[in-house]
Amino acid sequence: MWRRVTSVSHLTFAHKSTVNKNACTFKCWESFTTEIPRKEKTTYQRAKTPFITFVLGGPGSGKGTQCMKIVENFGFTHLSAGELLRREIASNSADGIMILNTIKEGKIVPSELTIKLIQKEMELSDNYKFLIDGFPRSEDNRKAFEQIFGAEPDVVLFFDCPEDEMVKRVLNRNQGRVDDNIDTIKKRLKVFTALNLPVVNHYLEKGKLYKINGVGTVDEIYKQVHPVFSSFHFEVRV
Ligand SMILES: Nc1ncnc2c1ncn2[C@@H]1O[C@H](COP(=O)(O)OP(=O)(O)O)[C@@H](O)[C@H]1O
Ligand SMILES: O=c1ccn([C@@H]2O[C@H](COP(=O)(O)OP(=O)(O)O)[C@@H](O)[C@H]2O)c(=O)[nH]1
Ligand SMILES: [Mg+2]
């Protein structure tokens, strides 16, 4: 039998709680009977210090593509916020229609909903290194995450790419996404400038931002990304 515990700040993020030390309401599942064998805790639940990377950049700036290479080389778990939201739409969940309409309009889904999906994936993961791709997209997203997790990211990557290049890539993406059309892209670019750039600037001021030139081949761009992670001395996969 399992119960939900509401505060496990002693298990997670303890040393990084610079935001609000009393506010960590991160939840995990814990066994509370002896009749049923105690479930093995995931690495994330055991780890006192998950390593969190936020991956930021406009639509089509190459976030997802570069995340795949980081996963390959450094064994991170990739959590694309947009992908989690699309999965929620596909599962016909109660929030599905609202999420679909928000994405079609290029707007931002309420923070608590996106954070709930990210949190669930982290709890289920057996990893402690996470790439959170395409989140936070606004100061509200950022503040809500830091409030709920009681922690800030370790690294923030920002893929800096000119608008015309981003538009070209998105229109050629060919993944059948409802938001990969010129009307929605224009809206998304406006939302990016108005709401996402303030997040980028926040982390720049905090000294956590790694600005990457998002123009060039995938490998050329990855050459700038790789040293960010090797500087943390993670094991490199060959
Ligand atoms: N450096 C690059 N040069 C050209 N095309 C790219 C590059 N990086 C990614 N792409 C392509 O551009 C599109 C958008 O990339 P993606 O990684 O999905 O960006 P994002 O997640 O930031 O929206 C995809 O079709 C991808 O294959
Ligand atoms: O934290 C998030 C991430 C995504 N989205 C929505 O999902 C869309 C697609 O996001 P994704 O990151 O997949 O797009 P990308 O930047 O990779 O093209 C966004 O435009 C938003 O409408 C959101 O509301 N909150
Ligand atoms: Mg993406």
Side-chain angles (χ1 to χ4, degrees), residues 57-66 133 165 169-170 172-173 175 177 188 214 216-218 221:
S61 59
K63 302 181 292 298
T65 303
Q66 294 295 323
D133 163 9
E165 177 68 18
R169 289 184 192 171
V170 168
N172 285 325
R173 182 151 48 186
Q175 290 176 356
R177 280 174 46 172
R188 294 171 69 196
T217 66
V218 171
I221 295 165

Side-chain angles (χ1 to χ4, degrees), residues 5-68:
V5 291
T6 49
S7 178
V8 288
S9 50
H10 60 290
L11 285 178
T12 54
F13 307 117
H15 81 294
K16 295 194 287 188
S17 278
T18 53
V19 180
N20 180 349
K21 286 200 167 61
N22 300 317
C24 183
T25 55
F26 190 80
K27 301 175 178 81
C28 77
W29 294 97
E30 279 210 330
S31 163
F32 74 104
T33 74
T34 47
E35 297 139 40
I36 295 168
R38 193 176 174 82
K39 192 175 172 184
E40 184 68 21
K41 285 190 174 188
T42 64
T43 306
Y44 172 60
Q45 287 166 339
R46 277 195 303 272
K48 286 196 170 67
T49 56
F51 188 97
I52 295 179
T53 301
F54 285 158
V55 183
L56 306 181
S61 59
K63 302 181 292 298
T65 303
Q66 294 295 323
C67 280
M68 286 195 286

Side-chain angles (χ1 to χ4, degrees), residues 84-110 113 178:
L84 294 176
L85 292 168
R86 286 186 283 277
R87 216 200 280 168
E88 201 62 8
I89 297 170
S91 73
N92 291 321
S93 85
D95 298 312
I97 306 275
M98 180 274 288
I99 297 172
L100 177 63
N101 289 331
T102 307
I103 288 180
K104 271 188 192 160
E105 282 304 308
K107 293 184 177 158
I108 297 171
V109 169
L113 176 46
V178 292

